[in-house]
Amino acid sequence: MSEKSPREAERMEADRPRRIALAAVLCGAQGAALAGVAVLLLVFAVGGESGDLAQAVAGGLTLLALAGLPLMAGHGLWRLRRWSRGPAVMTQLIGVPIAFTLLGSGGVWVVAALGLAGSVAVVLGCLLSPTATEALGVGPERA
């Protein structure tokens, strides 16, 4: 796998469709938010505010590891990597039931659910558009 030259990288940035740029930024924001929740869970666990320390630490570390997937997908989308569309779409599809679960939790989680649901809808709309599939080279081959 060869790295792109600086000239190719500049051209690639100029050619990046806005839809892919938006999807990349939102995937990155989702990953950062998930990492933030994970760190908060770990802080609460260490501070003794959690009922079961082992369960809270395991949950926090799991969320922290899972935060890597949308971050990786967002980075790949930003660099117009073909492989990044699959993980990005997968994380968005996983976000749908999570948003519904958060919606039923009440309180501040309703705001988080609405933000997640909105970002999922936008990212999926961006990634499933013909512009994105063509730019990433994942659309049907043209004769």
Side-chain angles (χ1 to χ4, degrees):
M1 182 177 216
S2 64
E3 190 61 32
K4 295 192 185 298
S5 70
R7 179 171 286 161
E8 288 177 294
E10 288 176 18
R11 185 185 55 75
M12 183 177 66
E13 280 190 31
D15 293 342
R16 182 183 307 116
R18 289 183 184 163
R19 291 176 187 225
I20 291 182
L22 178 60
V25 169
L26 287 175
C27 281
Q30 289 170 347
L34 187 56
V37 169
V39 168
L40 208 68
L41 188 59
L42 291 170
V43 167
F44 286 156
V46 171
E49 296 184 33
S50 174
D52 185 4
L53 178 64
Q55 185 178 6
V57 169
L61 292 176
T62 300
L63 286 179
L64 199 54
L66 289 174
L69 189 58
L71 288 169
M72 178 187 67
H75 178 71
L77 287 171
W78 188 259
R79 299 192 67 202
L80 294 176
R81 300 292 189 232
R82 181 181 184 148
W83 59 263
S84 62
R85 186 173 179 250
V89 169
M90 183 182 71
T91 56
Q92 301 314 303
L93 295 176
I94 291 170
V96 172
I98 293 171
F100 278 114
T101 302
L102 290 175
L103 195 58
S105 298
V108 72
W109 295 112
V110 172
V111 175
L114 294 174
L116 178 58
S119 67
V120 162
V122 170
V123 172
L124 283 175
C126 288
L127 292 178
L128 298 177
S129 71
T131 303
T133 55
E134 184 177 315
L136 293 171
V138 293
E141 295 292 326
R142 293 186 182 169

